[in-house]
Amino acid sequence: MAVPDGPGIRELELFRDMTDEHFVTLMRGAYVQNFPPQIELITEGEPSDFLHIVLSGAVDLFAGWNGRETSMATVRPISTFILAATIRDAPYLMSARTLEKSRIALIPSEDVRAIFAADSAFARAIVAELAQCYRSVIKAQKDIKLRTSLERLANFLLRQQKRASGGAEFDLPFEKRRLASVLGMTPENLSRAFKGLQPYGIEVDGTRIRIRDQALLERFAKPSPLIDDHAS
Amino acid sequence: MAVPDGPGIRELELFRDMTDEHFVTLMRGAYVQNFPPQIELITEGEPSDFLHIVLSGAVDLFAGWNGRETSMATVRPISTFILAATIRDAPYLMSARTLEKSRIALIPSEDVRAIFAADSAFARAIVAELAQCYRSVIKAQKDIKLRTSLERLANFLLRQQKRASGGAEFDLPFEKRRLASVLGMTPENLSRAFKGLQPYGIEVDGTRIRIRDQALLERFAKPSPLIDDHAS
DNA sequence: GGCGACTCTTGATATTTATCAATCACGTGA
DNA sequence: TCACGTGATTGATAAATATCAAGAGTCGCC
């Protein structure tokens, strides 16, 4: 029930430039909660009552249809999720579950919409964030429509490598079966895809990845900033 | 070169609530142009100098990688495209080309960003539009990750039917090869997919579609508002 | 009317991906 | 320590999808 004034939130791009007064108002109705792993935080189809912010841990956004399920994205600290549903006051399009023990801030959607109308700096930040999210999904869409699973994996590894300081070795950020789902394939196929990348210098040991020949992998993966740059 | 004060733009949700003064300012730098079919309006990777608005005709948004190409969406009057790139002042993630003879309004991105900062009603409208766009892409992503090509086609037909007044017969809104690309398959496979839907009461005659048994098709397609409702 | 360019369709085949079943590896807790 | 559960891997097979190569229809145009 503590007000989430701890490290992080205020420094989020989304809240950085709004007035103190509005920030306090927003936080008054908010609360922070700790969740164990594998807890379903929201369910697709439900009304969006809260804007969620991951303070620590990790959250998986996923969606289902007709008995199938697919992982759409992983949210890591410190960022928000389901902003769009909150803004439009529309039902969630995705479900969310904790991957690890996580600390989540919840801000009533109503308050977000109210302050959004009153604080133009906040409004601007929301627009920037939404535009960013939109572009991320477009990139994911291009990834899946233009590339084979092997190419998707190769490019994922390059992106992950960059995120993990750029060295030749790094760890996968989550379980392989979730990676498979994110990349739009089955766990069995992911195993085979890793083998398929051996000729391009990929070594796998459990969750540890080693890129033996950076140039060779890049020649195969052909990463493009218009798909793989998460920043722009 | 005429100022685009004709029917439509001002009534767009995006511009409806902004002040007259700001609207006029925005339109001062804008211009309207007619394009023949198959003209490439923008190219992915280029800086986003203009917000585009389709006044009449139709525009295809597509993306390419490594010699492949895929159709991402079709923009029909009256709506904008590449709003996100304009807002973030980032390069286009998609290219755009006219499908038919089209009338397009172009508003300098700089002006959009300036007025956006000054007019809170405009800012709010942009947020609503962006959130809408984001949700649309999420739905498209779910469509492609959770469904087979046959299911995607079946649901596309149901969506198209609804858009075309809901009768048992309607026309495809564009060429089959583009439809194939939108649905993430090859033209050959689309042909076969249409045949595969015959047992579910689909009849195809050129661009004309007939749904002989609505309930049967829906039982197969299992449309979901969380994927197929374009409105919410 | 008939040529040419184009899309669409069809068939044969290859590739990619999924499914099913079994085994392996690893960590946890009794 | 050893069973147990879980995720990862592997192999065999099936299904989905793509590719290649014709052919058939369509449309505009001379």
mmCIF file of all heavy atoms in Angstrom, chain C residues 7-22:
data_model
loop_
_atom_site.group_PDB
_atom_site.id
_atom_site.type_symbol
_atom_site.label_atom_id
_atom_site.label_comp_id
_atom_site.label_asym_id
_atom_site.label_seq_id
_atom_site.Cartn_x
_atom_site.Cartn_y
_atom_site.Cartn_z
ATOM 1 P P DT C 7 0.725 -8.402 -62.048
ATOM 2 O OP1 DT C 7 0.892 -7.278 -61.123
ATOM 3 O OP2 DT C 7 1.811 -9.390 -62.249
ATOM 4 O "O5'" DT C 7 -0.578 -9.227 -61.635
ATOM 5 C "C5'" DT C 7 -1.869 -8.646 -61.842
ATOM 6 C "C4'" DT C 7 -2.903 -9.746 -61.882
ATOM 7 O "O4'" DT C 7 -2.658 -10.596 -63.011
ATOM 8 C "C3'" DT C 7 -2.889 -10.651 -60.645
ATOM 9 O "O3'" DT C 7 -4.180 -10.662 -60.080
ATOM 10 C "C2'" DT C 7 -2.485 -12.020 -61.190
ATOM 11 C "C1'" DT C 7 -2.906 -11.924 -62.637
ATOM 12 N N1 DT C 7 -2.169 -12.815 -63.585
ATOM 13 C C2 DT C 7 -2.868 -13.790 -64.277
ATOM 14 O O2 DT C 7 -4.072 -13.971 -64.147
ATOM 15 N N3 DT C 7 -2.102 -14.547 -65.133
ATOM 16 C C4 DT C 7 -0.740 -14.433 -65.365
ATOM 17 O O4 DT C 7 -0.173 -15.167 -66.159
ATOM 18 C C5 DT C 7 -0.080 -13.396 -64.609
ATOM 19 C C7 DT C 7 1.393 -13.202 -64.785
ATOM 20 C C6 DT C 7 -0.810 -12.650 -63.769
ATOM 21 P P DC C 8 -4.451 -11.343 -58.667
ATOM 22 O OP1 DC C 8 -5.565 -10.624 -58.048
ATOM 23 O OP2 DC C 8 -3.160 -11.472 -57.975
ATOM 24 O "O5'" DC C 8 -4.936 -12.806 -59.065
ATOM 25 C "C5'" DC C 8 -6.058 -12.943 -59.927
ATOM 26 C "C4'" DC C 8 -6.144 -14.380 -60.406
ATOM 27 O "O4'" DC C 8 -5.033 -14.656 -61.267
ATOM 28 C "C3'" DC C 8 -6.077 -15.431 -59.286
ATOM 29 O "O3'" DC C 8 -7.310 -16.123 -59.264
ATOM 30 C "C2'" DC C 8 -4.891 -16.319 -59.675
ATOM 31 C "C1'" DC C 8 -4.730 -16.026 -61.158
ATOM 32 N N1 DC C 8 -3.365 -16.243 -61.719
ATOM 33 C C2 DC C 8 -3.188 -17.188 -62.733
ATOM 34 O O2 DC C 8 -4.165 -17.827 -63.138
ATOM 35 N N3 DC C 8 -1.938 -17.377 -63.254
ATOM 36 C C4 DC C 8 -0.917 -16.667 -62.801
ATOM 37 N N4 DC C 8 0.288 -16.881 -63.348
ATOM 38 C C5 DC C 8 -1.075 -15.690 -61.775
ATOM 39 C C6 DC C 8 -2.301 -15.519 -61.262
ATOM 40 P P DT C 9 -7.587 -17.244 -58.196
ATOM 41 O OP1 DT C 9 -9.041 -17.384 -58.024
ATOM 42 O OP2 DT C 9 -6.716 -16.984 -57.043
ATOM 43 O "O5'" DT C 9 -7.054 -18.550 -58.930
ATOM 44 C "C5'" DT C 9 -7.698 -18.966 -60.121
ATOM 45 C "C4'" DT C 9 -6.966 -20.147 -60.722
ATOM 46 O "O4'" DT C 9 -5.625 -19.753 -61.043
ATOM 47 C "C3'" DT C 9 -6.847 -21.366 -59.811
ATOM 48 O "O3'" DT C 9 -7.602 -22.408 -60.393
ATOM 49 C "C2'" DT C 9 -5.336 -21.669 -59.760
ATOM 50 C "C1'" DT C 9 -4.809 -20.894 -60.949
ATOM 51 N N1 DT C 9 -3.408 -20.403 -60.851
ATOM 52 C C2 DT C 9 -2.465 -20.915 -61.710
ATOM 53 O O2 DT C 9 -2.725 -21.764 -62.540
ATOM 54 N N3 DT C 9 -1.206 -20.383 -61.549
ATOM 55 C C4 DT C 9 -0.813 -19.419 -60.650
ATOM 56 O O4 DT C 9 0.344 -19.022 -60.607
ATOM 57 C C5 DT C 9 -1.849 -18.921 -59.776
ATOM 58 C C7 DT C 9 -1.528 -17.880 -58.759
ATOM 59 C C6 DT C 9 -3.084 -19.430 -59.918
ATOM 60 P P DT C 10 -7.985 -23.684 -59.540
ATOM 61 O OP1 DT C 10 -9.302 -24.136 -60.003
ATOM 62 O OP2 DT C 10 -7.775 -23.378 -58.114
ATOM 63 O "O5'" DT C 10 -6.887 -24.759 -59.970
ATOM 64 C "C5'" DT C 10 -6.592 -24.925 -61.355
ATOM 65 C "C4'" DT C 10 -5.324 -25.734 -61.515
ATOM 66 O "O4'" DT C 10 -4.185 -24.859 -61.407
ATOM 67 C "C3'" DT C 10 -5.104 -26.839 -60.485
ATOM 68 O "O3'" DT C 10 -5.191 -28.091 -61.150
ATOM 69 C "C2'" DT C 10 -3.717 -26.569 -59.906
ATOM 70 C "C1'" DT C 10 -3.110 -25.611 -60.919
ATOM 71 N N1 DT C 10 -2.126 -24.628 -60.389
ATOM 72 C C2 DT C 10 -0.904 -24.516 -61.002
ATOM 73 O O2 DT C 10 -0.560 -25.185 -61.951
ATOM 74 N N3 DT C 10 -0.081 -23.566 -60.449
ATOM 75 C C4 DT C 10 -0.354 -22.747 -59.369
ATOM 76 O O4 DT C 10 0.468 -21.934 -58.965
ATOM 77 C C5 DT C 10 -1.655 -22.924 -58.770
ATOM 78 C C7 DT C 10 -2.061 -22.089 -57.578
ATOM 79 C C6 DT C 10 -2.471 -23.846 -59.303
ATOM 80 P P DG C 11 -5.187 -29.446 -60.381
ATOM 81 O OP1 DG C 11 -6.023 -30.397 -61.145
ATOM 82 O OP2 DG C 11 -5.449 -29.203 -58.950
ATOM 83 O "O5'" DG C 11 -3.665 -29.895 -60.538
ATOM 84 C "C5'" DG C 11 -3.086 -29.988 -61.831
ATOM 85 C "C4'" DG C 11 -1.610 -30.267 -61.719
ATOM 86 O "O4'" DG C 11 -0.913 -29.058 -61.323
ATOM 87 C "C3'" DG C 11 -1.229 -31.330 -60.694
ATOM 88 O "O3'" DG C 11 -0.378 -32.286 -61.316
ATOM 89 C "C2'" DG C 11 -0.494 -30.557 -59.601
ATOM 90 C "C1'" DG C 11 0.075 -29.376 -60.377
ATOM 91 N N9 DG C 11 0.329 -28.176 -59.596
ATOM 92 C C8 DG C 11 -0.528 -27.557 -58.719
ATOM 93 N N7 DG C 11 -0.022 -26.478 -58.172
ATOM 94 C C5 DG C 11 1.249 -26.383 -58.727
ATOM 95 C C6 DG C 11 2.263 -25.414 -58.517
ATOM 96 O O6 DG C 11 2.239 -24.428 -57.786
ATOM 97 N N1 DG C 11 3.399 -25.698 -59.287
ATOM 98 C C2 DG C 11 3.522 -26.768 -60.132
ATOM 99 N N2 DG C 11 4.683 -26.872 -60.772
ATOM 100 N N3 DG C 11 2.589 -27.674 -60.338
ATOM 101 C C4 DG C 11 1.485 -27.418 -59.601
ATOM 102 P P DA C 12 0.123 -33.610 -60.600
ATOM 103 O OP1 DA C 12 0.096 -34.705 -61.583
ATOM 104 O OP2 DA C 12 -0.578 -33.748 -59.297
ATOM 105 O "O5'" DA C 12 1.646 -33.223 -60.295
ATOM 106 C "C5'" DA C 12 2.496 -32.824 -61.380
ATOM 107 C "C4'" DA C 12 3.868 -32.483 -60.832
ATOM 108 O "O4'" DA C 12 3.814 -31.196 -60.166
ATOM 109 C "C3'" DA C 12 4.405 -33.479 -59.799
ATOM 110 O "O3'" DA C 12 5.765 -33.750 -60.084
ATOM 111 C "C2'" DA C 12 4.219 -32.759 -58.471
ATOM 112 C "C1'" DA C 12 4.411 -31.297 -58.882
ATOM 113 N N9 DA C 12 3.738 -30.341 -58.004
ATOM 114 C C8 DA C 12 2.476 -30.433 -57.479
ATOM 115 N N7 DA C 12 2.138 -29.409 -56.727
ATOM 116 C C5 DA C 12 3.248 -28.594 -56.771
ATOM 117 C C6 DA C 12 3.528 -27.350 -56.173
ATOM 118 N N6 DA C 12 2.660 -26.690 -55.394
ATOM 119 N N1 DA C 12 4.738 -26.805 -56.419
ATOM 120 C C2 DA C 12 5.610 -27.458 -57.198
ATOM 121 N N3 DA C 12 5.456 -28.630 -57.808
ATOM 122 C C4 DA C 12 4.243 -29.151 -57.550
ATOM 123 P P DT C 13 6.559 -34.824 -59.172
ATOM 124 O OP1 DT C 13 7.556 -35.469 -60.037
ATOM 125 O OP2 DT C 13 5.611 -35.616 -58.372
ATOM 126 O "O5'" DT C 13 7.350 -33.860 -58.173
ATOM 127 C "C5'" DT C 13 8.186 -32.854 -58.714
ATOM 128 C "C4'" DT C 13 8.649 -31.928 -57.620
ATOM 129 O "O4'" DT C 13 7.523 -31.220 -57.058
ATOM 130 C "C3'" DT C 13 9.337 -32.610 -56.432
ATOM 131 O "O3'" DT C 13 10.702 -32.221 -56.439
ATOM 132 C "C2'" DT C 13 8.592 -32.100 -55.207
ATOM 133 C "C1'" DT C 13 7.873 -30.879 -55.748
ATOM 134 N N1 DT C 13 6.631 -30.485 -55.024
ATOM 135 C C2 DT C 13 6.592 -29.258 -54.428
ATOM 136 O O2 DT C 13 7.525 -28.481 -54.445
ATOM 137 N N3 DT C 13 5.409 -28.960 -53.787
ATOM 138 C C4 DT C 13 4.294 -29.770 -53.703
ATOM 139 O O4 DT C 13 3.296 -29.394 -53.111
ATOM 140 C C5 DT C 13 4.391 -31.052 -54.363
ATOM 141 C C7 DT C 13 3.246 -31.993 -54.323
ATOM 142 C C6 DT C 13 5.545 -31.345 -54.981
ATOM 143 P P DA C 14 11.706 -32.821 -55.329
ATOM 144 O OP1 DA C 14 13.007 -33.067 -55.980
ATOM 145 O OP2 DA C 14 11.043 -33.881 -54.544
ATOM 146 O "O5'" DA C 14 11.876 -31.541 -54.386
ATOM 147 C "C5'" DA C 14 12.226 -30.288 -54.969
ATOM 148 C "C4'" DA C 14 12.236 -29.227 -53.890
ATOM 149 O "O4'" DA C 14 10.886 -28.978 -53.451
ATOM 150 C "C3'" DA C 14 13.036 -29.604 -52.643
ATOM 151 O "O3'" DA C 14 13.815 -28.482 -52.291
ATOM 152 C "C2'" DA C 14 11.959 -29.947 -51.608
ATOM 153 C "C1'" DA C 14 10.816 -29.045 -52.040
ATOM 154 N N9 DA C 14 9.472 -29.534 -51.717
ATOM 155 C C8 DA C 14 8.943 -30.760 -51.993
ATOM 156 N N7 DA C 14 7.697 -30.902 -51.601
ATOM 157 C C5 DA C 14 7.387 -29.688 -51.014
ATOM 158 C C6 DA C 14 6.223 -29.198 -50.403
ATOM 159 N N6 DA C 14 5.101 -29.901 -50.265
ATOM 160 N N1 DA C 14 6.261 -27.938 -49.919
ATOM 161 C C2 DA C 14 7.388 -27.219 -50.057
ATOM 162 N N3 DA C 14 8.538 -27.573 -50.619
ATOM 163 C C4 DA C 14 8.471 -28.827 -51.078
ATOM 164 P P DT C 15 14.927 -28.629 -51.166
ATOM 165 O OP1 DT C 15 16.134 -27.962 -51.674
ATOM 166 O OP2 DT C 15 14.959 -30.013 -50.648
ATOM 167 O "O5'" DT C 15 14.323 -27.701 -50.021
ATOM 168 C "C5'" DT C 15 13.771 -26.442 -50.389
ATOM 169 C "C4'" DT C 15 12.911 -25.929 -49.276
ATOM 170 O "O4'" DT C 15 11.684 -26.683 -49.205
ATOM 171 C "C3'" DT C 15 13.550 -26.037 -47.894
ATOM 172 O "O3'" DT C 15 13.681 -24.717 -47.408
ATOM 173 C "C2'" DT C 15 12.589 -26.902 -47.090
ATOM 174 C "C1'" DT C 15 11.284 -26.725 -47.859
ATOM 175 N N1 DT C 15 10.269 -27.817 -47.743
ATOM 176 C C2 DT C 15 9.005 -27.513 -47.276
ATOM 177 O O2 DT C 15 8.678 -26.391 -46.944
ATOM 178 N N3 DT C 15 8.139 -28.575 -47.227
ATOM 179 C C4 DT C 15 8.401 -29.889 -47.588
ATOM 180 O O4 DT C 15 7.537 -30.740 -47.502
ATOM 181 C C5 DT C 15 9.745 -30.133 -48.062
ATOM 182 C C7 DT C 15 10.134 -31.509 -48.471
ATOM 183 C C6 DT C 15 10.608 -29.102 -48.117
ATOM 184 P P DT C 16 14.432 -24.462 -45.991
ATOM 185 O OP1 DT C 16 15.176 -23.199 -46.097
ATOM 186 O OP2 DT C 16 15.098 -25.716 -45.549
ATOM 187 O "O5'" DT C 16 13.169 -24.212 -45.038
ATOM 188 C "C5'" DT C 16 12.109 -23.403 -45.520
ATOM 189 C "C4'" DT C 16 10.924 -23.527 -44.595
ATOM 190 O "O4'" DT C 16 10.261 -24.795 -44.797
ATOM 191 C "C3'" DT C 16 11.281 -23.464 -43.107
ATOM 192 O "O3'" DT C 16 10.548 -22.396 -42.561
ATOM 193 C "C2'" DT C 16 10.894 -24.836 -42.571
ATOM 194 C "C1'" DT C 16 9.837 -25.295 -43.559
ATOM 195 N N1 DT C 16 9.646 -26.768 -43.743
ATOM 196 C C2 DT C 16 8.385 -27.311 -43.576
ATOM 197 O O2 DT C 16 7.419 -26.659 -43.261
ATOM 198 N N3 DT C 16 8.322 -28.671 -43.800
ATOM 199 C C4 DT C 16 9.342 -29.510 -44.171
ATOM 200 O O4 DT C 16 9.147 -30.702 -44.354
ATOM 201 C C5 DT C 16 10.624 -28.868 -44.328
ATOM 202 C C7 DT C 16 11.805 -29.704 -44.737
ATOM 203 C C6 DT C 16 10.723 -27.547 -44.114
ATOM 204 P P DT C 17 10.771 -21.966 -41.058
ATOM 205 O OP1 DT C 17 10.344 -20.559 -40.954
ATOM 206 O OP2 DT C 17 12.128 -22.373 -40.621
ATOM 207 O "O5'" DT C 17 9.701 -22.858 -40.283
ATOM 208 C "C5'" DT C 17 8.322 -22.671 -40.581
ATOM 209 C "C4'" DT C 17 7.507 -23.735 -39.910
ATOM 210 O "O4'" DT C 17 7.794 -25.028 -40.495
ATOM 211 C "C3'" DT C 17 7.768 -23.902 -38.408
ATOM 212 O "O3'" DT C 17 6.603 -23.470 -37.718
ATOM 213 C "C2'" DT C 17 8.060 -25.396 -38.237
ATOM 214 C "C1'" DT C 17 7.518 -25.991 -39.519
ATOM 215 N N1 DT C 17 8.165 -27.256 -39.944
ATOM 216 C C2 DT C 17 7.386 -28.375 -40.125
ATOM 217 O O2 DT C 17 6.176 -28.390 -39.950
ATOM 218 N N3 DT C 17 8.072 -29.503 -40.525
ATOM 219 C C4 DT C 17 9.428 -29.607 -40.757
ATOM 220 O O4 DT C 17 9.926 -30.672 -41.115
ATOM 221 C C5 DT C 17 10.181 -28.399 -40.545
ATOM 222 C C7 DT C 17 11.663 -28.420 -40.771
ATOM 223 C C6 DT C 17 9.529 -27.296 -40.158
ATOM 224 P P DA C 18 6.368 -23.773 -36.159
ATOM 225 O OP1 DA C 18 5.463 -22.738 -35.660
ATOM 226 O OP2 DA C 18 7.676 -24.013 -35.512
ATOM 227 O "O5'" DA C 18 5.571 -25.148 -36.193
ATOM 228 C "C5'" DA C 18 4.328 -25.194 -36.872
ATOM 229 C "C4'" DA C 18 3.632 -26.524 -36.629
ATOM 230 O "O4'" DA C 18 4.390 -27.593 -37.243
ATOM 231 C "C3'" DA C 18 3.443 -26.903 -35.169
ATOM 232 O "O3'" DA C 18 2.111 -27.347 -35.008
ATOM 233 C "C2'" DA C 18 4.479 -28.008 -34.938
ATOM 234 C "C1'" DA C 18 4.620 -28.628 -36.310
ATOM 235 N N9 DA C 18 5.948 -29.174 -36.615
ATOM 236 C C8 DA C 18 7.127 -28.498 -36.611
ATOM 237 N N7 DA C 18 8.165 -29.234 -36.951
ATOM 238 C C5 DA C 18 7.624 -30.469 -37.201
ATOM 239 C C6 DA C 18 8.194 -31.682 -37.602
ATOM 240 N N6 DA C 18 9.495 -31.847 -37.840
ATOM 241 N N1 DA C 18 7.372 -32.742 -37.767
ATOM 242 C C2 DA C 18 6.061 -32.578 -37.541
ATOM 243 N N3 DA C 18 5.411 -31.494 -37.155
ATOM 244 C C4 DA C 18 6.260 -30.451 -37.004
ATOM 245 P P DT C 19 1.592 -27.774 -33.565
ATOM 246 O OP1 DT C 19 0.152 -27.461 -33.543
ATOM 247 O OP2 DT C 19 2.508 -27.222 -32.544
ATOM 248 O "O5'" DT C 19 1.761 -29.360 -33.552
ATOM 249 C "C5'" DT C 19 1.126 -30.112 -34.576
ATOM 250 C "C4'" DT C 19 1.472 -31.581 -34.407
ATOM 251 O "O4'" DT C 19 2.855 -31.780 -34.744
ATOM 252 C "C3'" DT C 19 1.285 -32.118 -32.985
ATOM 253 O "O3'" DT C 19 0.440 -33.247 -33.092
ATOM 254 C "C2'" DT C 19 2.703 -32.483 -32.542
ATOM 255 C "C1'" DT C 19 3.384 -32.745 -33.874
ATOM 256 N N1 DT C 19 4.863 -32.569 -33.921
ATOM 257 C C2 DT C 19 5.653 -33.615 -34.365
ATOM 258 O O2 DT C 19 5.186 -34.687 -34.695
ATOM 259 N N3 DT C 19 6.996 -33.335 -34.398
ATOM 260 C C4 DT C 19 7.613 -32.158 -34.051
ATOM 261 O O4 DT C 19 8.830 -32.039 -34.142
ATOM 262 C C5 DT C 19 6.746 -31.113 -33.596
ATOM 263 C C7 DT C 19 7.325 -29.789 -33.197
ATOM 264 C C6 DT C 19 5.424 -31.357 -33.556
ATOM 265 P P DC C 20 -0.215 -33.868 -31.767
ATOM 266 O OP1 DC C 20 -1.563 -34.350 -32.147
ATOM 267 O OP2 DC C 20 -0.039 -32.936 -30.644
ATOM 268 O "O5'" DC C 20 0.712 -35.152 -31.503
ATOM 269 C "C5'" DC C 20 0.917 -36.069 -32.568
ATOM 270 C "C4'" DC C 20 2.004 -37.057 -32.190
ATOM 271 O "O4'" DC C 20 3.301 -36.453 -32.387
ATOM 272 C "C3'" DC C 20 1.967 -37.527 -30.741
ATOM 273 O "O3'" DC C 20 1.935 -38.942 -30.741
ATOM 274 C "C2'" DC C 20 3.240 -36.952 -30.124
ATOM 275 C "C1'" DC C 20 4.146 -36.876 -31.356
ATOM 276 N N1 DC C 20 5.266 -35.893 -31.267
ATOM 277 C C2 DC C 20 6.539 -36.263 -31.719
ATOM 278 O O2 DC C 20 6.704 -37.397 -32.172
ATOM 279 N N3 DC C 20 7.552 -35.366 -31.656
ATOM 280 C C4 DC C 20 7.326 -34.147 -31.170
ATOM 281 N N4 DC C 20 8.355 -33.305 -31.135
ATOM 282 C C5 DC C 20 6.034 -33.751 -30.695
ATOM 283 C C6 DC C 20 5.039 -34.648 -30.765
ATOM 284 P P DA C 21 1.735 -39.748 -29.376
ATOM 285 O OP1 DA C 21 0.875 -40.899 -29.708
ATOM 286 O OP2 DA C 21 1.351 -38.808 -28.304
ATOM 287 O "O5'" DA C 21 3.204 -40.279 -29.075
ATOM 288 C "C5'" DA C 21 3.944 -40.872 -30.130
ATOM 289 C "C4'" DA C 21 5.348 -41.161 -29.665
ATOM 290 O "O4'" DA C 21 6.164 -39.965 -29.799
ATOM 291 C "C3'" DA C 21 5.459 -41.589 -28.206
ATOM 292 O "O3'" DA C 21 6.277 -42.744 -28.129
ATOM 293 C "C2'" DA C 21 6.079 -40.386 -27.514
ATOM 294 C "C1'" DA C 21 6.932 -39.806 -28.633
ATOM 295 N N9 DA C 21 7.221 -38.381 -28.498
ATOM 296 C C8 DA C 21 6.386 -37.383 -28.074
ATOM 297 N N7 DA C 21 6.942 -36.197 -28.055
ATOM 298 C C5 DA C 21 8.233 -36.430 -28.500
ATOM 299 C C6 DA C 21 9.328 -35.576 -28.699
ATOM 300 N N6 DA C 21 9.285 -34.262 -28.484
ATOM 301 N N1 DA C 21 10.478 -36.143 -29.147
ATOM 302 C C2 DA C 21 10.502 -37.458 -29.367
ATOM 303 N N3 DA C 21 9.544 -38.359 -29.216
ATOM 304 C C4 DA C 21 8.424 -37.761 -28.772
ATOM 305 P P DA C 22 6.449 -43.568 -26.779
ATOM 306 O OP1 DA C 22 6.189 -44.976 -27.113
ATOM 307 O OP2 DA C 22 5.679 -42.891 -25.712
ATOM 308 O "O5'" DA C 22 7.985 -43.392 -26.450
ATOM 309 C "C5'" DA C 22 8.934 -43.552 -27.500
ATOM 310 C "C4'" DA C 22 10.203 -42.847 -27.128
ATOM 311 O "O4'" DA C 22 9.990 -41.415 -27.181
ATOM 312 C "C3'" DA C 22 10.687 -43.141 -25.707
ATOM 313 O "O3'" DA C 22 11.916 -43.834 -25.769
ATOM 314 C "C2'" DA C 22 10.842 -41.760 -25.054
ATOM 315 C "C1'" DA C 22 10.860 -40.821 -26.242
ATOM 316 N N9 DA C 22 10.360 -39.485 -25.956
ATOM 317 C C8 DA C 22 9.124 -39.127 -25.485
ATOM 318 N N7 DA C 22 8.957 -37.842 -25.315
ATOM 319 C C5 DA C 22 10.177 -37.316 -25.705
ATOM 320 C C6 DA C 22 10.656 -35.993 -25.762
ATOM 321 N N6 DA C 22 9.922 -34.928 -25.416
ATOM 322 N N1 DA C 22 11.924 -35.812 -26.205
ATOM 323 C C2 DA C 22 12.648 -36.875 -26.554
ATOM 324 N N3 DA C 22 12.307 -38.158 -26.548
ATOM 325 C C4 DA C 22 11.049 -38.307 -26.109
#
